[in-house]
Amino acid sequence: MKRLVVFYSLDGGTRLMAETIAETVGADILELKPVNEITRNNFMKIFVGGKQAILKAEPDLLPFGLKPENYEIIFFGTPVWAWTYSPALRTYFRDHKPVGKKVALFYCHGGGPRNFLEKFEGAVEGNELLGSIDFKDPVRHDKDKDSVRAVEWAKEILKKAGNIIEK
Ligand SMILES: Cc1cc2nc3c(=O)[nH]c(=O)nc-3n(C[C@H](O)[C@H](O)[C@H](O)COP(=O)(O)O)c2cc1C
C-alpha cells in the first residue's frame, strides 16, 4: 500500500514530526506551501494566521507534482491554529478531499487545542481513521521524546492498516 504524509508547518514542529513519520513508514512526503506565506518572525503572525483560521481562509498553494489519489494510506499533519487546522490544509481538503482511504492524523499545539480534534476528524470523514496523536511544541519542548513517540505511533498505525514496512 502506498503511503503519503501531507502536512503544513510554519515553525518547523509539524515538519519534524512529518519527516520522522515518513521515514518510519517509508512514505512519500508532501509539504503544503502557501503562495503568500505568513512572515515567521513577526509577532503579528499569531493574529494574521489566527484570523485566517477563524475565517476559514483557503490560501492558494504552490503547485505540487504528487498525485494524492494514488496513495492508500495518508497521514495528515498540521499545527493547531485558533483551535482548528491550518488554512493551508483547508485548501488541500477543498481540492483533494480524501475518500475511502486509510488515514491518520497528527498535530502540534501550544497547549490549548480545545475541540480541535473533532474538527480535524470531521475533515476526513468518509475515510477509515486509524488513529491520531498530538505533540506539544516539539521543537521548543522535547523533540527527542516526541520523535520517539512519533516513530512508535507510526508503526502502530501501519500495523492497524495491516501493512508491513517496505517501500
Ligand atoms: C496563528 C497561530 C495560531 C495558533 N493557535 C493555537 C491554538 O488555538 N491552540 C494552541 O494550543 N496553539 C496554537 N498555536 C501554537 C501552535 O499550534 C504551536 O506552536 C505548534 O507547535 C506550531 O507548529 P509548527 O511548528 O509546525 O508551525 C498557534 C500558533 C499560530 C502561529
Side-chain angles (χ1 to χ4, degrees):
M1 280 190 191
K2 282 187 80 182
R3 299 144 210 164
L4 179 65
V5 174
V6 178
F7 76 99
Y8 167 80
S9 180
L10 183 63
D11 289 325
T14 314
R15 182 179 302 109
L16 180 67
M17 295 301 109
E19 287 169 354
T20 305
I21 290 164
E23 196 179 325
T24 304
V25 304
D28 290 335
I29 199 155
L30 169 51
E31 178 169 6
L32 305 177
K33 295 187 178 166
V35 173
N36 296 309
E37 184 54 295
I38 291 172
T39 313
R40 268 192 64 199
N41 297 322
N42 183 336
F43 77 100
M44 287 294 285
K45 75 178 175 191
I46 201 100
F47 300 105
V48 177
K51 187 175 164 201
Q52 279 188 10
I54 287 167
L55 295 178
K56 301 191 171 156
E58 295 171 339
D60 289 341
L61 302 177
L62 292 175
F64 46 82
L66 279 171
K67 284 197 187 311
E69 49 285 4
N70 291 347
Y71 294 81
E72 287 95 16
I73 304 176
I74 309 184
F75 294 77
F76 290 104
T78 180
V80 174
W81 278 15
W83 316 294
T84 188
Y85 47 91
S86 49
L89 215 57
R90 193 174 291 281
T91 307
Y92 176 89
F93 286 139
R94 181 196 66 196
D95 296 343
H96 302 277
K97 184 148 183 57
V99 180
K101 307 281 184 192
K102 293 178 190 291
V103 300
L105 309 176
F106 62 101
Y107 59 103
C108 296
H109 59 84
R114 285 204 202 162
N115 62 342
F116 164 85
L117 192 54
E118 237 169 73
K119 295 170 189 163
F120 204 12
E121 287 180 354
V124 295
E125 251 169 22
N127 297 274
E128 183 187 348
L129 180 58
L130 299 172
S132 60
I133 189 169
D134 73 296
F135 304 97
K136 189 176 171 203
D137 280 333
V139 179
R140 280 191 287 276
H141 283 122
D142 196 339
K143 67 173 175 223
D144 292 339
K145 198 167 146 210
D146 279 333
S147 296
V148 171
R149 284 180 63 227
V151 167
E152 291 308 313
W153 176 77
K155 286 181 183 167
E156 270 305 301
I157 295 294
L158 219 50
K159 219 190 275 175
K160 275 194 200 165
N163 245 232
I164 47 161
I165 297 184
E166 33 79 27
K167 286 241 178 189

